[in-house]
């Protein structure tokens, strides 16, 4: 039997004596800064199988098309086997041009690759 999301708010059988379901959302507050290009909001089903970095890379491939970006994040989470609800929304901030966003994403990927190479070569072999 499956649990409807709306049941988590009022189904006392799932809250007492042991709280199996909670309706308290996880909330994080961030200051959006000048060089932030976009935000991707996802439900936990996405993050069950994808890291924050993976979501950014997937969405970043669709700069200029936030609907396609969100669909690709959801599709990838589904393909990776998430069995939970899958929802994503991408919001592009208009103050960063698309080309600059692509440059920043490439710089981030290059930095990550370099760090991984350094980690692999930690003994200098």
């Amino acid at each position: 039997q499956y649990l409807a999301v709306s049941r988590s708010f009022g189904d006392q059988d799932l809250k007492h004596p042991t709280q199996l379901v909670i309706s308290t959302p996880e909330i994080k507050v961030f200051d959006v800064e000048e060089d932030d290009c976009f935000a991707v909001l996802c439900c936990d089903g996405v993050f069950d199988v994808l890291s924050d970095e993976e979501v950014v890379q997937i969405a970043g491939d669709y700069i200029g098309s936030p609907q396609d970006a969100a669909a690709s994040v959801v599709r990838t989470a589904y393909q990776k086997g998430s069995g939970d609800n899958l929802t994503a929304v991408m919001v592009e901030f208009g103050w960063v041009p698309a080309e600059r966003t692509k440059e920043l994403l490439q710089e981030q990927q290059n930095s990550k690759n370099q760090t991984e190479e350094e980690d692999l070569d930690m003994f200098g072999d």
Side-chain angles (χ1 to χ4, degrees), residues 58-90:
I58 294 164
D61 289 341
Y62 295 90
I63 296 300
S65 183
Q67 186 173 357
D68 290 340
S72 184
V73 168
V74 167
R75 188 178 320 104
T76 303
Y78 179 76
Q79 290 170 343
K80 284 195 159 203
S82 178
D84 206 343
N85 294 326
L86 296 172
T87 304
V89 175
M90 179 180 181

Side-chain angles (χ1 to χ4, degrees), residues 39-50:
V40 183
L41 311 172
C42 304
C43 66
D44 66 332
V46 170
F47 293 113
D48 286 345
V49 295
L50 297 173

Side-chain angles (χ1 to χ4, degrees), residues 29-114:
V29 178
F30 298 93
D31 291 328
V32 176
E33 300 190 10
E34 192 174 298
D35 61 343
D36 289 330
C37 305
F38 60 89
V40 183
L41 311 172
C42 304
C43 66
D44 66 332
V46 170
F47 293 113
D48 286 345
V49 295
L50 297 173
S51 69
D52 294 351
E53 291 81 13
E54 289 172 313
V55 169
V56 167
Q57 284 303 127
I58 294 164
D61 289 341
Y62 295 90
I63 296 300
S65 183
Q67 186 173 357
D68 290 340
S72 184
V73 168
V74 167
R75 188 178 320 104
T76 303
Y78 179 76
Q79 290 170 343
K80 284 195 159 203
S82 178
D84 206 343
N85 294 326
L86 296 172
T87 304
V89 175
M90 179 180 181
V91 178
E92 290 186 19
F93 304 129
W95 58 77
V96 180
E99 286 307 312
R100 179 65 182 141
T101 300
K102 291 175 185 177
E103 288 172 12
L104 291 168
L105 289 168
Q106 187 60 50
E107 289 172 13
Q108 178 186 20
Q109 186 62 42
N110 291 344
S111 176
K112 180 182 175 197
N113 290 343
Q114 184 174 354

